Amino acid sequence: MTIKLDKQIVEFAVYGGAVLGGGGGGKIEDGLQIGRLALEVGQPILKTAEEMAEEDLLVTVSLVGAPAAKEQYVKPVHYVKAIELLASKLDQPLQGIITNENGAGTTVNGWFQSAMTGLPVVDLPCNGRAHPTGTMGSLNLSEIPTYISNQAAVGGKGDKYVEMLISGSLDTTAKTVRQLSVEAGGLVAVARNPITVGYAKQNGAKGAISQAIQIGKALLSTKGEAAIEAVVSELGGSVVTEGTVTAFTLETIGGFDVGKVTINDCYDMTFWNEYMTIEKDGDRFGTFPDLIMTLDAKTARPIVTAEIEKGQQVAVITVPKEKLRLSSTMSNQKLIKPIEKIINKEIISYLYK
């Protein structure tokens, strides 16, 4: 069913997306801003995969970079410019837009482009939760040896402004775009990897935008601790702990935010843009791609890793990966394995026992 997106749906999608961001996926304020702007310039629409033809060509749109980077600068015009650059490379017209993941900013990726171009947003994102690397949001195209990735990236201002159209292997293009985000001040708007609806159905997260909207509705329909419980109930997860952020470290390394959070001096969490692990005294309570997320203990407002501070009162929730709508990439050990080197924690042994 085609849905005309409106102000209420924007709020639900952004707040629900923030939960599914698992600590990444952008900031609430940015998501609300771009979602509302989309409504001001046109009428973005959301279509289901079933309303599209199997051979219709979809383009993935995303933001690539480090959410905490101080000099990041991406404006709506950059989103549209990226699509225009990529479209100039293609022989077949684009028929729809999909986002790379759920998150406060990323669930509404493509809504502005939809309003400006008339192309529908399709409820078939590359992943139903946020993830750190570009290949994790590339629908397992990395498993096709002959696949040539086409990507366009735009961002920055002044002498940091960049725009690029690149073709090559998926790994090379993803790494190049990531490095470009550093040169642009920390963030770029990207349009990439055109694929058919049929392929996206096999590898993507069908209905994950609708899931974000439902979670946001549950969150915003109640207040405080009741809202936290509503979110946990909607997702089939649990509250691991509530307490004070007693330690927090964050470094921006290679275009990623990497760090640790400690709650009540005993629950230790790691993140690589998104939360990767939570444990206490060696006992593991959640491991990416399980969803791990921090919410304000009093207001239930989702708090991304880039906004964590010592002294905050937070609730930490976890949701088993089986309860999420995930891409086929989330069961690809080759894509998950690099996490271990970044956070210095075992991942694979917890996922594939």
Side-chain angles (χ1 to χ4, degrees), residues 52-228:
M52 308 294 292
E54 292 286 301
E55 66 274 13
D56 281 348
L57 200 63
L58 305 177
V59 60
T60 297
V61 294
S62 68
L63 290 172
V64 172
K70 303 300 182 185
E71 296 184 277
Q72 61 173 265
Y73 188 85
V74 171
K75 292 298 181 182
V77 65
H78 297 152
Y79 292 83
V80 177
K81 180 64 174 177
I83 282 189
E84 291 174 346
L85 276 174
L86 186 65
S88 70
K89 175 78 174 178
L90 307 177
D91 297 326
Q92 181 181 342
L94 298 169
Q95 299 292 337
I97 300 167
I98 56 176
T99 184
N100 63 312
E101 64 185 17
N102 266 319
T106 51
T107 294
V108 295
N109 273 346
W111 295 22
F112 180 81
Q113 296 94 314
S114 174
M116 291 293 290
T117 65
L119 293 172
V121 177
V122 182
D123 194 358
L124 189 55
C126 296
N127 202 3
R129 58 147 302 144
H131 51 259
T133 69
T135 48
M136 288 180 184
S138 296
L139 297 167
N140 258 347
L141 292 168
S142 57
E143 301 307 298
I144 304 175
T146 59
Y147 181 76
I148 300 297
S149 173
N150 293 296
Q151 304 200 27
V154 182
K157 66 177 177 178
D159 61 359
K160 287 186 175 295
Y161 177 78
V162 296
E163 60 178 62
M164 177 180 69
L165 179 61
I166 184 173
S167 300
S169 72
L170 195 63
D171 187 56
T172 297
T173 53
K175 287 179 179 177
T176 304
V177 169
R178 176 69 59 175
Q179 183 58 42
L180 190 74
S181 76
V182 176
E183 300 299 324
L187 205 64
V188 287
V190 176
R192 68 187 188 213
N193 302 337
I195 42 86
T196 64
V197 170
Y199 183 87
K201 282 182 178 179
Q202 293 176 4
N203 293 277
K206 189 169 68 171
I209 302 299
S210 296
Q211 184 180 43
I213 291 169
Q214 288 301 116
I215 294 167
K217 184 177 181 180
L219 176 66
L220 296 176
S221 296
T222 51
K223 295 182 179 180
E225 291 184 4
I228 296 173

Side-chain angles (χ1 to χ4, degrees), residues 6 9 16 20 25 29 31 69 92 97 115 121 150 170 180 186 188 209 259 267 275-276 290 304 310 317 320:
D6 58 29
I9 293 176
L20 291 170
E29 291 76 15
Q92 181 181 342
I97 300 167
V121 177
N150 293 296
L170 195 63
L180 190 74
V188 287
I209 302 299
Y267 284 91
Y275 290 113
M276 296 288 118
D290 294 339
V304 296
K310 286 181 66 175
I317 67 170

